[in-house]
Amino acid sequence: MTQISQDVYKRQDVTGVHLALSANPQSFRTGARGCCTIEDSRDARRAADVIGIPFYVWDLAERFREDVVEDFVAEYEAGRTPNPCLRCNEKIKFAALLDKALALGFDAVCTGHYATVVLNEDGTRELHRASDMAKDQSYVLGVLDEKQLAHAMFPLGDTLTTKDEIRAEAERRGLAVAKKPDSHDICFIADGDTQGFLAGRLGGPAEGDILDEAGTKVGTHEGAFGFTIGQRKGLRIGHPAPDGKPRYVLDISPVNNTVTVGPVEALDVTALTAIRPRWCGTAPTGLGTYTAQLRAHGGETEVTAELVDGVLRVSFAEPVRGVAPGQAVVLYDGTRVVGSATIATTVRRETAAAG
């Protein structure tokens, strides 16, 4: 088992591609906060010109709207918490983009994700964490299957080069993007107002009740889609808890437009089920012991997992908090990514909470 050598990356003929992901790119973030704007495409073209490689803009706006934006809205409407970056990797960068690249005769899609592809002696490939755990992005790549990994390259993942060193190299090469701040937040929500974006897509404010664990009304809200499991701030609850402690969102019910809140201890999750599993190689058989990651910047936790009739069942060695249906659970065997699945239901300490 060997990592893909850096020499492999140096021997490639490279073509730059910018993805046009909006029919109206100016509706996406501008300046430093986006990755989909007209400004970003111009930055990419200037960098390609300096390096001396061909450059193209590929229009994937319709696919992005259907597979990422509409999925994002539908998940929130159903009371779940999606990860659009993970969905973009699954449906756009390593599906629509990769399919087009292969059809045009290219060998692989190369991105700046911090992750590592390992080549086994039998020719199969595995996805592993980046050498620098502080920058690891394997969580959002856990949706890639073995076929996609065979045509994926992540040259930054198996180096200990810092981002400052990469920026310094870009500056030495005369690339204007050397000082460009990192992009962040959701690229297709122009002003960063997720609740406002969802209200516009789902019909505006829809007042509903905020309930405590006993079902007593303690406040109102303007749309259940504006909340996420584990949320503490912005609840606007008029009645304090009897013990004076903060309350957190425990459940979201789009059917009756209610949000249930309670103490932080009620967020303890001991197990979950997850659907639509995608495996970075052979699917596991039987009961196995792994570690799991539940959010892009979260830590690992020990679990046991098994696949039953296509549903992944995961039990935690110790309770975890902030687990929401719609998020992804990614299993690891050491540094190897086993696969990813979408959380459907969670089991809390002594109670079950359906997603």
Side-chain angles (χ1 to χ4, degrees):
M1 184 173 74
T2 59
Q3 291 184 355
I4 305 299
S5 169
Q6 286 290 311
D7 291 336
V8 171
Y9 301 122
K10 296 175 182 177
R11 294 196 300 267
Q12 302 298 322
D13 292 326
V14 177
T15 295
V17 173
H18 175 82
L19 301 183
L21 299 180
S22 172
N24 177 18
Q26 290 179 324
S27 68
F28 285 6
R29 291 195 181 280
T30 59
R33 304 195 63 164
C35 58
C36 314
T37 65
I38 291 176
E39 178 186 345
D40 294 312
S41 68
R42 290 170 179 165
D43 287 341
R45 184 178 296 279
R46 284 191 289 266
D49 288 343
V50 171
I51 298 171
I53 62 173
F55 177 81
Y56 299 94
V57 175
W58 288 358
D59 183 0
L60 295 179
E62 185 64 20
R63 283 290 300 271
F64 185 78
R65 180 185 64 80
E66 293 177 357
D67 293 337
V68 180
V69 180
E70 290 185 359
D71 174 80
F72 178 84
V73 174
E75 287 294 285
Y76 265 102
E77 186 177 21
R80 297 185 287 266
T81 306
N83 185 318
C85 294
L86 189 146
R87 196 65 61 231
C88 184
N89 284 330
E90 176 187 355
K91 300 291 188 178
I92 304 300
K93 293 175 184 174
F94 294 95
L97 172 62
L98 179 58
D99 289 346
K100 183 171 183 176
L102 294 177
L104 291 173
F106 292 98
D107 296 320
V109 167
C110 180
T111 74
H113 286 100
Y114 287 92
T116 303
V117 176
V118 167
L119 179 64
N120 294 317
E121 293 182 358
D122 61 2
T124 59
R125 302 194 182 209
E126 299 175 351
L127 179 65
H128 284 249
R129 289 193 181 275
S131 298
D132 186 348
M133 281 290 293
K135 297 198 292 285
D136 177 65
Q137 293 176 298
S138 60
Y139 173 85
V140 295
L141 296 170
V143 291
L144 304 187
D145 60 28
E146 190 175 322
K147 180 180 178 181
Q148 291 168 319
L149 288 177
H151 300 283
M153 291 184 171
F154 310 116
L156 297 183
D158 58 359
T159 72
L160 292 176
T161 305
T162 66
K163 187 161 287 188
D164 287 340
E165 289 172 322
I166 293 171
R167 289 187 180 279
E169 175 67 17
E171 190 166 15
R172 283 194 295 271
R173 292 175 176 266
L175 303 180
V177 293
K179 299 183 182 298
K180 186 173 182 176
D182 295 339
S183 61
H184 55 89
D185 295 335
I186 300 172
C187 71
F188 55 83
I189 299 181
D191 57 3
D193 181 7
T194 300
Q195 186 166 359
F197 173 84
L198 290 169
R201 295 299 186 98
L202 297 175
E207 186 173 293
D209 294 336
I210 299 178
L211 310 175
D212 64 16
E213 290 181 286
T216 302
K217 180 178 176 179
V218 295
T220 61
H221 62 79
E222 295 181 350
F225 52 76
F227 297 85
T228 58
I229 301 297
Q231 179 178 333
R232 172 186 173 186
K233 296 182 179 179
L235 301 184
R236 294 183 295 177
I237 298 175
H239 303 280
D243 59 7
K245 294 182 179 180
R247 286 183 281 200
Y248 298 76
V249 174
L250 304 180
D251 285 300
I252 303 164
S253 176
V255 175
N256 54 18
N257 197 29
T258 60
V259 174
T260 301
V261 298
V264 67
E265 294 81 9
L267 288 171
D268 286 348
V269 169
T270 58
L272 60 81
T273 64
I275 58 176
R276 298 192 298 274
R278 290 178 61 85
W279 307 110
C280 298
T282 304
T285 57
L287 190 67
T289 302
Y290 305 96
T291 58
Q293 187 170 328
L294 298 166
R295 56 187 62 86
H297 303 292
E300 291 181 273
T301 183
E302 292 185 5
V303 301
T304 56
E306 62 179 335
L307 193 62
V308 180
D309 296 328
V311 175
L312 184 66
R313 301 183 182 276
V314 177
S315 298
F316 298 98
E318 298 290 338
V320 296
R321 292 175 179 171
V323 183
Q327 295 175 327
V329 54
V330 178
L331 298 182
Y332 292 83
D333 183 3
T335 63
R336 181 176 71 86
V337 181
V338 177
S340 172
T342 301
I343 298 172
T345 63
T346 59
V347 178
R348 298 213 178 102
R349 195 195 301 268
E350 298 183 356
T351 62

